[in-house]
C-alpha cells in the first residue's frame, strides 16, 4: 500500500498525530516476556531486526489502529518463527489449546 507519492502507509513523517502521553508506565509481565523472546530469537539467529520490521510493516494500518505495540511484536515474532520452520501454525494451535486447558496462567494471576 502506497500513497500517490510512493510512500508506504507507515511512513507518517510530518503527519498530524494528536497528543502523545509522556507518562511513564510499567510494562505488563507478558510484554516483558515478548521483549525477551524477540531478543532471544534474534540472538539464536532465527530472524533479524529487518525481518521483524518487514512483518510489522506488512501488517497494514488496521494493525496499528487496533493492536498494542507488544501485540504487534508478538504477531511479528510468531510470523517469523513460522516462516523459519521453528513450528507450524497447527503445532502452535495445539499448544495454545493445551495451555488454555490449564486455566488461569501465571501471567494472568500476576496481573490480578
Amino acid at each position: 500500500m502506497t500513497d500517490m507519492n510512493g510512500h508506504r502507509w507507515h511512513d507518517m513523517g510530518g503527519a498530524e498525530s494528536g497528543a502523545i502521553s509522556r507518562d511513564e508506565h510499567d510494562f505488563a509481565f507478558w510484554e516483558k516476556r515478548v521483549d525477551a523472546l524477540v531478543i532471544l530469537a534474534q540472538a539464536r539467529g532465527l530472524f533479524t531486526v529487518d525481518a521483524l520490521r518487514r512483518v510489522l510493516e506488512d501488517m497494514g494500518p488496521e494493525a496499528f489502529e487496533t493492536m498494542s505495540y507488544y501485540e504487534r511484536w508478538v504477531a511479528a515474532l510468531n510470523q517469523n518463527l513460522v516462516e523459519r520452520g521453528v513450528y507450524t501454525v497447527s503445532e502452535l494451535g495445539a499448544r495454545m489449546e493445551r495451555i488454555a486447558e490449564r486455566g488461569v496462567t501465571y501471567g494472568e494471576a500476576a496481573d490480578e
Side-chain angles (χ1 to χ4, degrees):
M1 264 188 253
T2 60
D3 65 15
M4 64 183 162
N5 296 318
H7 297 107
R8 292 198 58 192
W9 64 267
H10 64 279
D11 183 6
M12 298 184 284
E16 291 293 324
S17 64
I20 298 172
S21 172
R22 299 197 183 272
D23 296 336
E24 293 293 323
H25 68 280
D26 195 17
F27 295 99
F29 184 69
W30 75 270
E31 292 171 324
K32 293 176 186 178
R33 280 191 165 181
V34 170
D35 192 68
L37 286 170
V38 168
I39 291 168
L40 291 170
Q42 287 177 326
R44 291 198 62 193
L46 296 174
F47 64 90
T48 64
V49 69
D50 294 326
L52 185 74
R53 182 177 178 153
R54 174 191 51 84
V55 174
L56 288 166
E57 291 175 358
D58 286 348
M59 286 180 182
E62 63 282 349
F64 282 75
E65 294 169 5
T66 62
M67 299 170 75
S68 73
Y69 180 83
Y70 281 104
E71 286 172 333
R72 293 189 306 268
W73 264 45
V74 78
L77 170 65
N78 181 60
Q79 181 65 34
N80 274 282
L81 295 179
V82 168
E83 288 175 4
R84 280 293 290 228
V86 175
Y87 52 79
T88 66
V89 172
S90 298
E91 291 169 332
L92 176 61
R95 179 74 173 151
M96 289 173 70
E97 285 179 20
R98 287 197 308 270
I99 291 169
E101 290 170 359
R102 294 184 198 162
V104 176
T105 66
Y106 177 78
E108 291 169 332
D111 290 339
E112 292 179 356

